[in-house]
Amino acid sequence: MSDPISTFFDAWRLESADARLEKITSAVAANIQYDDPRTPQTINGIDALSEYVGMFSANAPSWSAKVVGSDTIAGMTRATVAFGGKGSDGNEIDQLWQYYVETDSDL
């Protein structure tokens, strides 16, 4: 079985809304709550999360998100995610972000 955190971030590169929703659905619990500094409030539910992730693919076409490191302590996983693609100047850009994930069973 694939790691659900990696599966979730794989969805960030998908431009197809249906493919993105399918991948996210396979990786997160139905009652997902997602907090991000770029949102004014918690994103609740798979459909809302898929729509939010879709904004990334729409605003950064051909960019990807990949888990490049993770560790788990006391039920929380810290994942380092590399977002990358071509910048407006045509040069490759990599940005590292930290995410903290609470799991629910295998998701």
Side-chain angles (χ1 to χ4, degrees):
M1 181 171 117
S2 179
D3 168 37
I5 297 171
S6 294
T7 300
F8 170 70
F9 283 105
D10 286 346
W12 288 63
R13 66 175 171 74
L14 299 175
E15 293 180 23
S16 163
D18 291 337
R20 186 176 47 255
L21 179 60
E22 182 178 331
K23 188 159 290 261
I24 290 173
T25 299
S26 75
V28 303
N31 61 343
I32 181 75
Q33 294 181 313
Y34 180 87
D35 291 299
D36 192 299
R38 297 175 185 226
T39 62
Q41 57 193 354
T42 299
I43 295 170
N44 292 292
I46 293 172
D47 290 332
L49 181 57
S50 183
E51 186 176 311
Y52 175 74
V53 171
M55 289 188 300
F56 171 80
S57 8
N59 290 317
S62 78
W63 275 51
S64 64
K66 181 178 181 176
V67 177
V68 295
S70 67
D71 58 355
T72 302
I73 297 173
M76 292 292 286
T77 299
R78 177 180 57 187
T80 303
V81 179
F83 290 89
K86 289 195 186 266
S88 59
D89 62 1
N91 291 319
E92 287 290 323
I93 299 172
D94 280 320
Q95 301 174 345
L96 297 177
W97 292 81
Q98 295 286 304
Y99 287 83
Y100 296 88
V101 182
E102 183 177 17
T103 58
D104 182 1
S105 287
D106 292 336
L107 302 175

